[in-house]
Amino acid sequence: MKILVSRCLQLLRTSQELMPDDCDRELIIRTCGKVWYLCCEQRLDYALEEVHRSIRIAESRVNQRRTLAHARKYVGEIARRMAEESTGHDRTYRLDTSAKNLREAMALFSAIDGDYTPESEVGVCLLLLARTQLVRYRLLGDQAALAEAEQLADQVVGMDQVESYDRDLVLAEIAAAKGRYAESKDQLGHLIETLITLPGAYAEVLARAYCARARIDLERRVRGAKNMAMADLRKARDVYRQRGLAYPEAATKWEMVKLDPKEVRQLGINQEDVVSLEQATGDARLRFAAIDDVRRELDSRVGRQPGRRINWVQRVNRVRLRQSTRIPGQPVKSG
């Protein structure tokens, strides 16, 4: 997708005579193509900058309601993902921004006239808003947000044009958040069995379903929960790895480390290190890169020095500074 988008934009930029429709196509490619792959690469700051640029252009042109709606939808999704890595007031602000833009996107899609039926896009926005409210509940403990998340997801059930697998995953996660673990696990089991038989286009939904089921096993604390959760997390990690999705792969690997720090084989870390690394950064890729940084420094030594505490904030900042000099989007090696 990244190569295709880049070539299309290059062709439009180098064309000698652009028609009005070509200018509109460039805006659509930027909004629905470039922003999409920037989000996949978890380059959220760049994605947000690009989508705000699209909004400014769309608002200055006529007949760009649909493009503007897509842009608002992306702002809503990006803001939620940024909230998941934030703390304090930033977290609340970004969740509010996410909900506000998703509601605006729904209003814009609903107002579109003509042959195009916006029901599917309205449904996508409903699911995204439901997820934002579910994340608000998980991060802030907001019970009203959880109730709204269920109401929003229920509205999508009757929309035939909306992708049912995303809907079923959101509903299963909401059921688990409300303590209906047996119902949620049954839903996820059926969803996973279905997705395993489908083409790779649904691989990311499958991986998220594995992670959701692992979370349920850990919350229920039944016998063998840790082993069952670890098995599902490994499956999710492998799916993300096969798809080349470095950020969710690292996040899933980190969940495995939280269950068993021995999963970090290149350096002996403990639960104190895990907590310190989580406080240092919300990006699991940076945590693993910091671990690699320490490992390389200690390669000439036998094991870790007894009683030696590592300043993980300093290590993470060092890695972040080093990576900031790389070409944006260059893959980051993780442990």
Side-chain angles (χ1 to χ4, degrees):
M1 173 64 82
K2 183 175 181 178
I3 295 173
L4 177 61
V5 168
S6 299
R7 288 180 177 174
C8 288
L9 290 175
Q10 182 181 19
L11 179 63
L12 288 168
R13 283 195 299 266
T14 56
S15 179
Q16 298 297 319
E17 297 181 3
L18 285 180
M19 302 296 290
D21 284 350
D22 293 325
C23 295
D24 291 343
R25 289 190 186 95
E26 180 184 5
L27 182 58
I28 292 170
I29 291 170
R30 284 187 176 279
T31 305
C32 298
K34 189 173 182 179
V35 172
W36 179 84
Y37 77 68
L38 287 171
C39 287
C40 288
E41 294 174 351
Q42 199 65 13
R43 294 164 61 192
L44 300 181
D45 288 332
Y46 289 99
L48 193 59
E49 180 182 331
E50 189 67 40
V51 77
H52 278 308
R53 180 176 181 273
S54 294
I55 288 172
R56 289 193 298 271
I57 296 173
E59 288 179 338
S60 68
R61 296 181 184 175
V62 297
N63 300 323
Q64 291 299 319
R65 183 180 290 169
R66 186 174 301 145
T67 303
L68 184 58
H70 280 293
R72 291 291 180 193
K73 178 184 70 175
Y74 273 114
V75 172
E77 183 173 5
I78 293 166
R80 186 205 77 232
R81 291 169 67 168
M82 294 178 84
E84 291 176 302
E85 292 188 1
S86 303
T87 57
H89 293 299
D90 285 345
R91 177 179 284 176
T92 303
Y93 170 75
R94 284 167 173 163
L95 288 169
D96 290 344
T97 299
S98 174
K100 176 178 178 291
N101 278 274
L102 289 169
R103 294 185 200 282
E104 290 180 7
M106 278 193 290
L108 286 165
F109 279 125
S110 298
I112 292 174
D113 298 322
D115 295 333
Y116 176 79
T117 303
E119 181 182 84
S120 59
E121 291 297 345
V122 172
V124 168
C125 290
L126 282 168
L127 283 180
L128 288 172
L129 183 54
R131 185 161 293 283
T132 291
Q133 297 304 78
L134 177 59
V135 170
R136 181 185 290 273
Y137 163 74
R138 287 175 177 165
L139 298 181
L140 305 179
D142 189 333
Q143 290 288 343
L146 179 59
E148 184 183 3
E150 186 167 37
Q151 292 171 2
L152 290 164
D154 283 340
Q155 291 180 48
V156 186
V157 173
M159 296 183 176
D160 295 335
Q161 296 181 40
V162 179
E163 180 55 70
S164 62
Y165 306 122
D166 284 318
R167 179 197 65 204
D168 292 346
L169 177 57
V170 171
L171 286 169
E173 290 184 82
I174 291 171
K178 301 197 102 176
R180 305 197 304 267
Y181 294 120
E183 174 190 336
S184 178
K185 194 161 184 182
D186 284 346
Q187 290 175 324
L188 288 169
H190 176 72
L191 179 60
I192 288 169
E193 289 177 7
T194 302
L195 291 173
I196 287 174
T197 66
L198 297 178
Y202 299 101
E204 191 174 353
V205 182
L206 173 61
R208 286 190 279 127
Y210 279 132
C211 290
R213 190 166 67 177
R215 186 162 50 243
I216 290 173
D217 285 330
L218 293 174
E219 289 176 358
R220 293 176 72 188
R221 298 181 180 180
V222 296
R223 180 179 295 180
K226 180 179 175 180
N227 290 336
M228 290 188 291
M230 191 69 85
D232 274 340
L233 289 172
R234 286 197 179 97
K235 292 173 185 176
R237 176 204 60 192
D238 292 344
V239 171
Y240 286 131
R241 181 177 294 168
Q242 291 165 6
R243 302 291 291 180
L245 297 170
Y247 181 85
E249 179 193 346
T252 305
K253 285 168 60 180
W254 189 255
E255 291 300 315
M256 295 165 61
V257 170
K258 288 168 66 176
L259 281 179
D260 184 3
K262 292 179 182 178
E263 285 290 318
V264 179
R265 295 180 176 86
Q266 69 270 42
L267 179 72
I269 68 170
N270 53 39
Q271 287 295 345
E272 184 180 351
D273 293 317
V274 170
V275 173
S276 296
L277 278 161
E278 289 188 326
Q279 292 173 343
T281 176
D283 189 337
R285 295 171 301 179
L286 286 175
R287 296 172 192 152
F288 284 117
I291 291 170
D292 281 344
D293 193 53
V294 174
R295 175 189 56 79
R296 284 191 293 269
E297 188 176 293
L298 300 179
D299 267 348
S300 61
R301 305 171 188 174
V302 180
R304 182 167 161 181
Q305 290 181 339
R308 182 175 182 268
R309 296 187 63 182
I310 297 172
N311 186 332
W312 287 113
V313 173
Q314 184 183 76
R315 292 288 178 170
V316 166
N317 288 338
R318 180 189 300 180
V319 170
R320 186 183 284 115
L321 179 62
R322 186 164 62 238
Q323 292 178 1
S324 68
T325 64
R326 298 176 179 174
I327 299 172
Q330 182 176 344
V332 177
K333 181 182 178 183
S334 62

